């Protein structure tokens, strides 16, 4: 088997919920050795409501990780974690800056202790700026990034995404930052560095041209439901079996295909719909025409008809639809992984797909503290008596 691309890279995961630990998960998928530090007796938030348990969520997002326990609220725990840091290529954390400073885990302290280590700080608002000491979660980051404001129907209150979209976007940014920093360290002898990633920045970077449009025209992007006011037609339509199908025919060429498929080829040449700008001005009557046509078909038939005509379309997929979909399975986007508690547990495969060095899932989320002896003995050189004393004192 080809060696995984990040084999030999050691990552210390000092984080919880959700972007920072998923950053470490992505690195582990491609071969990094990831050691997850958890609270003694309780463990990570994603373990579930029962202390020390193993939820399916934990099995997925703590895959390819080792678990050690350490009470970072104690002086002894803080000293131990600082002793661990120089033994790792990467440290990932998401505690608020005041907590980092009080525990001696701030960038200045750790950079001095481990000048060759890449230190990844995924905080709510970043390490600088007037809001840097504030806490955040995906929902708050979405609000601050402007993502929630533009999501939903124009006549209703804004809504957040149904998934923790910003957390996972930030995790990909964090993983990208790590491999970039490691490349610089290892090819240019650049040493370690600090990665300062604010959670909201992942959402803000996805805001398309909203800022440029505001700066040049004063236009504020507003909610437009399922429609993009600049790209028409591109929306979701109800079929005769009560399902919804998403259709994108917003280019002139695609709209021409759609017009012919609908049996209305004259639409593509009319003054009302011939250009992108014209379709945007006349979106409402066009959407009524498409909606009436789409309602004649079932979702499956409509999707097949559109894709065979070269028009991008998909039913709105629930997780049940995804679990049963042949493309997810045959492509390997979804894989079954053996787990001691859940049997063959389906989960997203390591992404993206690499032709020569693909990622792998070598283990699911471990039991709480399963690797205490291994890590504290092999990395810090503690003997059995010292480890037992830490257990007795409640430090691990």
């Amino acid at each position: 088997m080809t060696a995984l691309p990040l084999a030999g890279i050691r990552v210390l995961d000092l984080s919880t919920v959700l972007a920072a630990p998923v950053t470490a998960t992505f690195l582990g998928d491609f071969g990094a050795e990831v050691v997850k530090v958890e609270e003694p007796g309780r463990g990570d938030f994603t373990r579930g409501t029962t202390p020390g348990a193993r939820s399916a969520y934990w099995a997925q997002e703590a895959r390819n990780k080792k678990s050690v326990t350490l009470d970072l609220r104690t002086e002894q725990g803080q000293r131990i974690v600082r002793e661990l840091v120089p033994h790792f290529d990467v440290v990932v954390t998401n505690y608020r800056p005041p907590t980092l400073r009080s525990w001696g885990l701030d960038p200045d302290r750790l950079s001095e202790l481990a000048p060759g280590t890449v230190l990844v700080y995924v905080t709510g608002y970043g390490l600088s700026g007037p809001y840097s000491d504030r806490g955040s979660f995906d929902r708050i980051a979405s609000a601050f990034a402007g993502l929630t404001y533009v999501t939903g129907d124009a006549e209703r209150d804004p809504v957040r995404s149904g998934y923790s979209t910003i957390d996972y976007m930030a995790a990909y940014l964090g993983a990208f930052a790590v491999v970039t920093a490691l490349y610089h360290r290892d090819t240019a002898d650049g040493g370690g560095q600090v990665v300062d990633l604010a959670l909201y920045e992942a959402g803000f970077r996805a805001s398309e041209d909203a800022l440029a449009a505001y700066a040049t025209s004063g236009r504020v992007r507003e909610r437009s439901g399922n429609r993009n006011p600049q790209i028409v037609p591109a929306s979701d339509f109800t079929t005769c079996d009560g399902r919804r199908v998403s259709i994108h025919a917003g280019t002139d060429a695609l709209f021409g295909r759609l017009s012919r498929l609908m049996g209305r080829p004259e639409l593509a040449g009319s003054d009302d719909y011939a250009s992108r700008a014209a379709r945007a001005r006349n979106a409402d009557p066009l959407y009524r025409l498409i909606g009436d046509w789409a309602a004649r078909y079932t979702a499956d038939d409509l999707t097949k008809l559109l894709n065979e005509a070269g028009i991008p379309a998909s039913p709105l997929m629930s997780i049940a639809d995804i679990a049963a979909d042949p493309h997810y399975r045959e492509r390997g986007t979804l894989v079954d992984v053996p787990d001691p508690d859940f049997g063959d547990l389906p989960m997203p495969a390591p992404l993206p797909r690499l032709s020569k060095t693909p990622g792998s899932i070598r283990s699911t989320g471990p039991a709480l503290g399963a690797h205490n002896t291994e890590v504290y003995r092999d990395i810090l050189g503690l003997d059995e008596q010292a480890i037992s004393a830490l257990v007795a004192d409640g430090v691990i």
Side-chain angles (χ1 to χ4, degrees), residues 83-258:
E83 291 176 356
L84 281 170
V85 166
H87 296 276
F88 287 80
D89 300 281
V90 181
V91 175
V92 182
T93 188
N94 63 348
Y95 293 105
R96 290 192 301 140
T99 301
L100 294 167
R101 291 191 292 269
S102 68
W103 290 355
L105 300 176
D106 55 280
D108 289 343
R109 183 77 178 273
L110 293 192
S111 294
E112 183 179 356
L113 287 173
T117 299
V118 174
L119 305 170
V120 184
Y121 291 88
V122 186
T123 58
Y125 295 87
L127 298 175
S128 61
Y131 305 156
S132 60
D133 286 355
R134 295 181 181 180
S136 186
F137 290 99
D138 180 276
R139 173 182 292 274
I140 308 307
S142 181
F144 190 70
L147 184 60
T148 305
Y149 182 85
V150 299
T151 304
D153 294 324
E155 66 277 8
R156 304 184 69 177
D157 289 338
V159 295
R160 69 176 287 269
S161 169
Y163 291 127
S164 297
T165 305
I166 286 186
D167 275 330
Y168 283 84
M169 290 169 61
Y172 275 116
L173 278 178
F176 167 74
V178 167
V179 295
T180 303
L182 288 175
Y183 180 84
H184 177 257
R185 184 194 72 173
D186 296 340
T187 64
D189 197 23
Q193 60 181 296
V194 174
V195 175
D196 177 3
L197 176 59
L199 191 59
Y200 75 88
E201 289 171 334
F204 174 66
R205 189 61 184 87
S207 61
E208 301 174 4
D209 67 337
L211 181 61
Y214 175 70
T216 55
S217 69
R219 178 172 61 85
V220 174
R221 177 79 71 93
E222 300 288 350
R223 292 180 298 288
S224 56
N226 283 319
R227 301 182 184 181
N228 183 327
Q230 302 176 64
I231 302 175
V232 178
S235 190
D236 303 336
F237 301 90
T238 303
T239 54
C240 67
D241 54 351
R243 296 171 67 192
R244 298 276 282 175
V245 171
S246 185
I247 303 173
H248 192 310
T251 68
D252 292 346
L254 287 173
F255 182 64
R257 294 178 193 173
L258 179 61

Side-chain angles (χ1 to χ4, degrees), residues 16-35:
T16 186
V17 195
L18 184 61
V22 175
T23 296
T25 301
F26 290 159
L27 299 171
D29 281 352
F30 289 91
E33 177 190 0
V34 181
V35 175

